[in-house]
Amino acid sequence: MSNIMVGKDLSEQIEDEVKQFAKQCIIRPSVAVIDIGENPDNKRFIKAHEKACNRVGIYLRHYEYDIETSELTIINKIKELNNDDYVNGIMIVLPIPEKYNEKRLINTIINSKDVDGLTDINVGRLMSGRKSITPCSVLGIMELLKSYNVELEGKDVVIVGKGKLVGRPLINVLLNEGATVSVCHSKTNDLKKYTSSADIVISATGVKNLITADMIKDGAVVVDVGITFEKDKIYGDVDFDKVSKKASLITPIVGGVGPVTIAMFLKNTILCYNNNKK
Amino acid sequence: MSNIMVGKDLSEQIEDEVKQFAKQCIIRPSVAVIDIGENPDNKRFIKAHEKACNRVGIYLRHYEYDIETSELTIINKIKELNNDDYVNGIMIVLPIPEKYNEKRLINTIINSKDVDGLTDINVGRLMSGRKSITPCSVLGIMELLKSYNVELEGKDVVIVGKGKLVGRPLINVLLNEGATVSVCHSKTNDLKKYTSSADIVISATGVKNLITADMIKDGAVVVDVGITFEKDKIYGDVDFDKVSKKASLITPIVGGVGPVTIAMFLKNTILCYNNNKK
């Protein structure tokens, strides 16, 4: 049996649920995507989300802004979208150009429409275990692990990367599940010390082939959330060819967590739709 | 030279700063403490805070509620205090009896008066690195370590305990300082595996003598935030007598982090005072 954790079946199943829900809606669920600057990774990201929205019957409104746009213009647009009953979710595609105050922009989004769960209140709620919108990437990882029956309670889990989109929110969700969690990053002295005794390694750094076979114990579960594009080739954080020979379960570079994350974005949009019904 | 990290000098220094500030205020800084039920630990806690407030010239208003009080009564009081210009900070002493919705009560406190940094917004801000009010116990630990010149960047730090008052917020603050952070708790399979290779161990469980000498590496820094009262004797999480022979620095059971935490409560009250001046 293959040890590869593919996201396809799970994401199709989630998309199907969303599609059934969307069908029953008199007004089509809708999500607004704020796209600032010319980052090609962001453009790819939006394209993939737009395709998924089309598959399930969610209307994606794409708002493009060039780097000349003032912060106030974008803030006013977000406020307008907050008040627009036809818009259920709002996402700012990250990273955004440095000239903008990212936190200010994110926190302009009303909590009930914060489809990626990144406003201060939603982050705080997630941390205190209250009902909140959880970042799509974190949900993608958790759902994929669950679908492969990966036990978390009492397991030694190492997160590589402490970013706000994956690493940080993931800590709390894993602790809530009873895992023992270590967080490594670029300042970590001896990464191998951590990874080599872990039951589960989740890497989200964007550093190509950072995790090599000697760093993983036999039978470990390895989840790769990092992506590096180099001359139109895609690399992950994990040296897949060699690590896959030791791991009991491992995500592929493409088609692992990614499609589930997108599916959870669709599901979060429905969550926002229901939030706004009240 | 002694390897004991005492909080006295540091806390006196902080109290002195607060006292100087309070002296210049035309209206005395004031903090409201909400005390629900008959928990003797809570009563001791409040007494210690009241004494400290008296030393520095902060007015502590003590609101006592018995277990018969309705949640709505307390919520209305908090709302009243939110709007009272003579009250700068508000703290609900935890734990509170189970019949009350703790998160609802905490989140009734207006963020600018949330002296213990526990509302969802303040927690979220702390996590995203924005200006926020940080929980006093976390500040107490960080200030004490800093005063003993304990380097954090690149160090292996183990937190024992994942509670919302110490463990969880501490993760983010330590990550911000560049430490590699592991979080252990009651579900952790092999606690010793983690503690015995850590440069710094911070324990906040309330389990008497959980951390023994064989679990600590020579020269480690050991911070004890746990307290257990048993027949009028006080115990910490750490078996002090034996661990202190191996540690390069260690907090005593009494007089370590505690007084600094109280001093940071006073300092946070002044922070709230300044928040509310605007």
Side-chain angles (χ1 to χ4, degrees):
Chain A
M1 222 182 87
S2 164
N3 65 343
I4 300 177
M5 285 190 279
V6 283
K8 196 166 170 284
D9 288 356
L10 176 59
S11 64
E12 281 177 1
Q13 184 193 317
I14 298 165
E15 286 192 10
D16 219 54
E17 281 170 37
V18 173
K19 198 173 178 173
Q20 295 311 318
F21 181 92
K23 251 187 200 161
Q24 303 167 12
C25 300
I26 296 164
I27 296 161
R28 192 140 76 113
S30 159
V31 63
V33 169
I34 312 281
D35 172 19
I36 312 167
E38 294 299 328
N39 185 325
D41 291 354
N42 288 7
K43 300 290 179 193
R44 242 186 303 254
F45 177 93
I46 294 166
K47 183 83 94 195
H49 282 68
E50 196 159 23
K51 276 188 189 166
C53 283
N54 287 339
R55 285 196 297 270
V56 299
I58 289 175
Y59 175 38
L60 186 146
R61 295 200 209 170
H62 184 182
Y63 294 93
E64 281 184 283
Y65 295 101
D66 63 36
I67 181 90
E68 301 304 323
T69 315
S70 76
E71 188 165 306
L72 190 63
T73 303
I74 302 173
I75 283 185
N76 284 336
K77 173 53 79 178
I78 294 171
K79 286 182 179 167
E80 187 192 310
L81 296 169
N82 283 343
N83 292 318
D84 183 339
D85 288 342
Y86 292 102
V87 172
N88 307 114
I90 304 168
M91 174 167 66
I92 299 165
V93 183
L94 302 178
I96 59 175
E98 281 206 0
K99 69 173 257 202
Y100 300 98
N101 184 334
E102 183 183 298
K103 281 161 193 165
R104 193 171 157 208
L105 287 176
I106 289 173
N107 282 292
T108 303
I109 300 173
I110 191 172
N111 294 304
S112 58
K113 295 191 181 185
D114 172 30
V115 67
D116 215 4
L118 293 177
T119 63
D120 287 337
I121 281 209
N122 277 324
V123 169
R125 283 185 185 158
L126 182 67
M127 230 179 112
S128 70
R130 291 225 292 176
K131 198 173 163 295
S132 79
I133 302 173
T134 305
C136 307
S137 51
V138 172
L139 290 173
I141 294 165
M142 298 302 286
E143 291 297 314
L144 188 62
L145 289 173
K146 209 164 77 180
S147 78
Y148 279 88
N149 300 312
V150 176
E151 181 73 45
L152 290 165
E153 189 173 300
K155 296 298 182 207
D156 296 322
V157 180
V158 170
I159 301 171
V160 190
K162 59 171 180 173
K164 68 182 162 313
L165 284 177
V166 186
R168 299 245 182 168
L170 191 55
I171 301 169
N172 287 292
V173 173
L174 289 168
L175 286 174
N176 291 346
E177 296 290 325
T180 302
V181 180
S182 298
V183 190
C184 299
H185 44 77
S186 58
K187 297 270 162 56
T188 295
N189 249 327
D190 185 358
L191 179 56
K192 188 177 166 178
K193 182 187 109 175
Y194 285 92
T195 56
S196 62
S197 72
D199 301 312
I200 301 166
V201 174
I202 303 170
S203 188
T205 68
V207 179
K208 172 182 155 186
N209 292 341
L210 174 69
I211 309 295
T212 50
D214 59 309
M215 295 167 73
I216 295 292
K217 82 171 177 188
D218 278 315
V221 173
V222 180
V223 178
D224 191 350
V225 200
I227 276 192
T228 310
F229 291 95
E230 225 178 73
K231 296 180 191 143
D232 282 333
K233 270 199 75 175
I234 300 179
Y235 299 89
D237 283 7
V238 177
D239 180 5
F240 178 82
D241 289 344
K242 286 175 186 143
V243 173
S244 61
K245 293 192 174 76
K246 290 181 81 176
S248 66
L249 281 170
I250 185 169
T251 56
I253 298 166
V254 173
V257 171
V260 189
T261 298
I262 293 178
M264 294 315 291
F265 165 79
L266 304 172
K267 207 167 171 180
N268 269 0
T269 302
I270 299 303
L271 185 68
C272 291
Y273 180 94
N274 287 326
N275 278 344
N276 289 303
K277 257 199 328 208
K278 286 165 263 180
Chain B
M1 222 182 87
S2 164
N3 64 344
I4 299 177
M5 286 189 278
V6 284
K8 195 166 171 284
D9 287 357
L10 176 59
S11 63
E12 282 178 359
Q13 183 192 318
I14 297 165
E15 285 192 12
D16 219 54
E17 281 170 37
V18 172
K19 198 173 178 173
Q20 294 312 317
F21 181 93
K23 252 189 200 161
Q24 302 168 13
C25 299
I26 296 163
I27 297 162
R28 193 140 74 113
S30 159
V31 64
V33 170
I34 312 281
D35 172 18
I36 312 167
E38 294 300 326
N39 185 325
D41 291 354
N42 288 7
K43 299 290 178 194
R44 242 185 304 253
F45 177 93
I46 294 165
K47 184 82 94 194
H49 282 69
E50 197 159 22
K51 276 188 189 167
C53 283
N54 287 338
R55 284 196 297 270
V56 299
I58 288 175
Y59 176 38
L60 186 146
R61 294 202 210 169
H62 184 182
Y63 294 94
E64 281 184 283
Y65 296 100
D66 63 37
I67 182 87
E68 301 304 322
T69 314
S70 75
E71 188 165 306
L72 190 63
T73 303
I74 302 173
I75 284 184
N76 285 336
K77 173 53 79 179
I78 295 171
K79 285 182 180 166
E80 187 192 309
L81 295 169
N82 283 341
N83 292 317
D84 184 339
D85 288 342
Y86 293 101
V87 172
N88 306 114
I90 304 168
M91 175 166 67
I92 299 166
V93 182
L94 302 177
I96 59 175
E98 281 206 359
K99 70 173 255 198
Y100 300 97
N101 184 334
E102 182 183 300
K103 281 161 193 165
R104 193 171 157 209
L105 287 176
I106 288 173
N107 282 292
T108 303
I109 300 173
I110 192 172
N111 293 304
S112 58
K113 296 191 180 184
D114 172 30
V115 68
D116 214 3
L118 292 178
T119 63
D120 287 337
I121 283 209
N122 277 324
V123 169
R125 283 184 185 160
L126 183 67
M127 229 179 111
S128 69
R130 292 225 290 176
K131 199 173 163 294
S132 79
I133 302 173
T134 305
C136 307
S137 51
V138 171
L139 289 172
I141 295 165
M142 298 302 286
E143 290 297 315
L144 187 62
L145 289 173
K146 209 164 79 181
S147 77
Y148 280 87
N149 300 312
V150 176
E151 180 73 46
L152 291 165
E153 188 172 300
K155 297 297 183 213
D156 295 323
V157 181
V158 170
I159 300 170
V160 190
K162 58 172 181 174
K164 67 184 164 312
L165 285 177
V166 186
R168 300 245 181 167
L170 191 56
I171 301 168
N172 287 292
V173 173
L174 289 168
L175 286 174
N176 291 345
E177 296 290 326
T180 302
V181 180
S182 298
V183 190
C184 299
H185 45 79
S186 58
K187 298 270 162 56
T188 295
N189 248 326
D190 185 358
L191 179 58
K192 188 177 168 179
K193 182 187 108 175
Y194 285 92
T195 55
S196 62
S197 72
D199 300 312
I200 302 165
V201 174
I202 302 169
S203 189
T205 68
V207 179
K208 171 183 155 187
N209 291 343
L210 175 69
I211 309 294
T212 50
D214 59 308
M215 295 168 72
I216 295 293
K217 82 172 179 187
D218 278 316
V221 174
V222 180
V223 177
D224 192 350
V225 200
I227 277 192
T228 310
F229 291 94
E230 227 178 73
K231 297 180 191 147
D232 282 334
K233 270 200 76 176
I234 300 179
Y235 299 89
D237 283 6
V238 176
D239 180 6
F240 179 82
D241 288 344
K242 286 174 187 146
V243 174
S244 61
K245 293 191 173 76
K246 289 181 82 177
S248 66
L249 282 170
I250 185 169
T251 55
I253 298 166
V254 173
V257 172
V260 188
T261 298
I262 294 179
M264 293 316 291
F265 166 80
L266 305 172
K267 207 168 171 179
N268 269 359
T269 302
I270 298 304
L271 186 68
C272 292
Y273 180 95
N274 286 327
N275 278 343
N276 290 303
K277 257 199 328 207
K278 286 165 265 180

